[in-house]
Amino acid sequence: MTEPESPAWPSHPFDDDKLREECGVYGVFGVDDAANYVALGLHALQHRGQEAAGIVSYSAETGFNTVHRVGYVRDSFTKQSVMNLLPGRSAMGHTRYSTAGAKGVTSLREVQPLYADFAMGGCAIAHNGNLTNADSIRRQLIDRGSIFQSSADTECIVHLMARSIQNTIPDRMKDALRLVEGAFSIIAMTRTKMIGVRDPLGVRPLVLGRYGTAWILSSETCALDIIGAEYVREIEPGEMVIINGNTIESHHPFEAAAPRFCIFEYVYFSRPDSVIGGISVYETRRRIGAELAREAPAKADIVCPIPDSGTPAAIGFSQESGIPYAMGIIRNQYVGRTFIEPTDQIRDMGVRLKLNINRAIVEGKRVVLVDDSVVRGTTSRKIKDMILAAGAAEVHFRIASPPTRWPCFYGVDTPEREKLLAAHMSEDEMCAHLGIDSLRFISLDGLYRACGHPAGRNNQAPQYCDACFSGNYPIEPSDARARSKVRQAEHEPAK
Ligand code: SF4
């Protein structure tokens, strides 16, 4: 079936001071109208990518069916006329913020799932994460005659599968994935099977669920809850599961490695109602706040979250410190697509459109503001201005993650290193730059303690990926290093 065109849509204009969530993937195997469940699952994963979404379904009558749309899931996959294009008992989808390939305005060619026809049948594939050697693989493939349709790193996997000499799609996928480096949680679908696979370090999440006799693969458990599915287990780091009818095979195609799950999933990316590694994300964030109150107490009258992501940590800070919790900042839930093409004047209002200070609560008070992270610092400065203008006596920032000093190469969009405030300023310098009374971040050990490791970070063998805080990259970011060498060479005078 063909898909109708949808208009290009700009990315959200007011959220440029956060690390951008990566992507969400969701698959349903073995239930009538599987695509309807996928649409609901993607809706629950919308926080992982708001630029575009796609669903592929398979039915014996119509074969593979694809709809890709730019924009929110709720606007793209609620009409019956669209869902009628996606019949069948198996379907999978992807919601996207571009972390590789074209950024900003999305072209439909970049939207996943990708689809390819192999000699043994078709295969759809969707990927959360980022391949760190995609540039060099792409160059080699192009040299050998591959013709790429998009700039997505995921397409490298498809071309590598096409070149494999194995007889089955799962075996071709294993061949391909052994050649790529980076972070990947992948869902793939053939005529008869659904496949879920995580990279050897398990940087990005992927869970398995059960809905009656159907199987579900999802980035997060909150997207199992939305359809009433049961959580079965996490796909293990380095594991490939192949779902075929009622059976699941588990394969381990990669060399074993110590897992390094992304610790930022606990801090910010995952939804607070998801469960990771058997621990509720909400509870972890609450414990981060309590840890922060012990490490960096403040003399204040109220503790306020910067909504929504700072809320559980602010509750934890308040419970531990005994300082009353209050909603000193209110989030406008409906800002976003109201302003499709903001003028410069509206863009300048930025934070004010999204957040409003609750003057009656903060006036005359010493306020502790709890946020999940500081990236560029532009939002923190504006909030400080607004809260002082509303009459707060003092403003203390407490941050539920260590200073973000390094870019992520594993599926999270971070600004260049020069734009990260903590990359070139000490904590004191940042405090002065923001013009606040005090600024403290949770320590890396404190964050590990809150994530369930009482002895903190094991520096010899860290339990998580924490590269954006520590600069310790568990997977060599080879493309990025090559690019920075090229940039350096371009700026060096010729000898
Ligand atoms: S660098 Fe940071 S955001 Fe990226 S995977 Fe590692 S911990 Fe997560």
Side-chain angles (χ1 to χ4, degrees):
M1 287 189 189
T2 52
E3 54 183 295
E5 273 294 323
S6 74
W9 201 269
S11 55
H12 195 298
F14 306 130
D15 274 339
D16 64 348
D17 197 18
K18 288 280 175 207
L19 300 191
R20 301 261 196 171
E21 303 95 328
E22 330 83 278
C23 302
V25 289
Y26 200 79
V28 175
F29 187 87
V31 65
D32 287 343
D33 298 323
N36 287 350
Y37 296 90
V38 172
L40 287 168
L42 292 182
H43 181 64
L45 296 175
Q46 187 76 85
H47 59 290
R48 299 185 74 86
Q50 287 116 48
E51 234 175 59
I55 299 181
V56 175
S57 74
Y58 177 79
S59 85
E61 292 75 35
T62 60
F64 286 91
N65 317 282
T66 304
V67 175
H68 290 144
R69 290 289 173 89
V70 176
Y72 291 113
V73 176
R74 65 165 184 248
D75 298 326
S76 306
F77 294 102
T78 40
K79 289 200 185 78
Q80 197 57 51
S81 57
V82 174
M83 300 316 293
N84 286 346
L85 298 170
L86 295 163
R89 287 176 58 80
S90 56
M92 57 176 281
H94 184 265
T95 182
R96 170 184 197 266
Y97 175 73
S98 54
T99 52
K103 296 208 187 237
V105 174
T106 293
S107 125
L108 281 183
R109 282 195 309 178
E110 309 291 333
V111 181
Q112 297 189 30
L114 302 182
Y115 174 78
D117 266 318
F118 298 105
M120 61 287 290
C123 177
I125 178 166
H127 167 207
N128 170 206
N130 194 42
L131 304 182
T132 49
N133 66 343
D135 287 359
S136 56
I137 288 188
R138 177 182 285 257
R139 271 196 306 274
Q140 289 165 24
L141 285 165
I142 289 173
D143 285 348
R144 288 186 223 145
S146 295
I147 298 170
F148 277 75
Q149 303 287 317
S150 74
S151 59
D153 57 348
T154 317
E155 200 182 332
C156 291
I157 299 170
V158 174
H159 287 285
L160 290 171
M161 286 171 69
R163 284 174 178 272
S164 164
I165 55 167
Q166 302 294 339
N167 292 325
T168 68
I169 285 176
D171 284 343
R172 285 187 173 217
M173 186 173 264
K174 286 179 195 168
D175 270 2
L177 294 178
R178 287 188 191 113
L179 295 172
V180 301
E181 294 164 10
F184 51 83
S185 282
I186 289 174
I187 298 180
M189 187 177 82
T190 71
R191 284 174 299 187
T192 54
K193 297 181 177 68
M194 187 160 280
I195 301 165
V197 55
R198 275 176 93 190
D199 67 76
L201 305 192
V203 176
R204 307 257 72 92
L206 190 64
V207 299
L208 178 69
R210 196 82 161 126
Y211 178 75
T213 54
W215 294 99
I216 318 290
L217 288 165
S218 171
S219 293
E220 290 185 41
T221 61
C222 65
L224 300 179
D225 300 337
I226 196 171
I227 63 163
E230 266 173 55
Y231 168 76
V232 176
R233 66 176 177 87
E234 292 186 357
I235 307 303
E236 292 164 20
E239 184 186 19
M240 174 185 276
V241 292
I242 303 173
I243 302 168
N244 187 359
N246 206 26
T247 63
I248 289 210
E249 291 169 25
S250 170
H251 300 243
H252 290 83
F254 313 110
E255 257 178 53
R260 298 287 296 273
F261 182 66
C262 167
I263 203 164
F264 222 123
E265 290 278 354
Y266 281 111
V267 172
Y268 176 64
F269 300 134
S270 290
R271 254 175 53 167
D273 50 340
S274 282
V275 174
I276 304 175
I279 312 171
S280 133
V281 173
Y282 173 90
E283 177 55 15
T284 304
R285 288 181 191 165
R286 195 198 60 77
R287 292 200 309 229
I288 293 172
E291 192 69 40
L292 194 50
R294 287 190 287 274
E295 284 189 356
K299 286 202 173 104
D301 303 307
I302 49 171
V303 176
C304 304
I306 298 194
D308 293 322
S309 49
T311 303
I315 290 170
F317 194 103
S318 166
Q319 288 170 341
E320 182 66 21
S321 64
I323 303 171
Y325 173 89
M327 294 294 286
I329 303 178
I330 306 297
R331 184 184 175 93
N332 177 359
Q333 302 292 345
Y334 299 101
V335 76
R337 292 192 47 182
T338 324
F339 301 101
I340 299 164
E341 291 180 64
T343 61
D344 283 349
Q345 201 183 0
I346 287 174
R347 196 182 284 277
D348 276 350
M349 292 179 188
V351 176
R352 198 176 293 277
L353 292 173
K354 196 168 75 174
L355 302 174
N356 192 30
I357 307 297
N358 192 350
R359 181 182 288 269
I361 294 292
V362 304
E363 200 163 17
K365 304 267 178 40
R366 297 170 299 169
V367 182
V368 175
L369 290 179
V370 181
D371 203 356
D372 58 86
S373 57
V374 171
V375 181
R376 298 168 197 252
T378 46
T379 306
S380 313
R381 262 178 91 128
K382 284 178 186 160
I383 289 172
K384 178 269 304 187
D385 288 344
M386 286 160 62
I387 205 159
L388 286 179
E394 291 177 16
V395 183
H396 304 268
F397 270 75
R398 293 294 179 269
I399 309 301
S401 59
T404 307
R405 294 200 167 97
W406 301 88
C408 175
F409 301 108
Y410 308 138
V412 171
D413 191 51
T414 15
E416 288 145 7
R417 185 150 194 250
E418 309 80 71
K419 298 202 175 119
L420 295 172
L421 201 62
H424 52 87
M425 284 189 195
S426 67
E427 213 164 281
D428 287 348
E429 286 168 337
M430 281 190 270
C431 183
H433 172 79
L434 297 175
I436 51 184
D437 293 283
S438 75
L439 168 69
R440 297 287 301 277
F441 295 80
I442 194 168
S443 68
L444 202 45
D445 275 328
L447 178 56
Y448 272 72
R449 280 194 292 275
C451 290
H453 299 273
R457 185 181 196 257
N458 176 350
N459 291 329
Q460 272 65 54
Q463 303 91 319
Y464 295 102
C465 174
D466 54 26
C468 46
F469 310 127
S470 65
N472 173 285
Y473 288 99
I475 306 163
E476 174 64 12
S478 41
D479 284 346
R481 294 228 199 272
R483 280 197 294 268
S484 82
K485 275 188 196 138
V486 170
R487 272 205 302 275
Q488 242 173 19
E490 281 170 355
H491 288 98
E492 273 170 14
K495 290 188 183 147

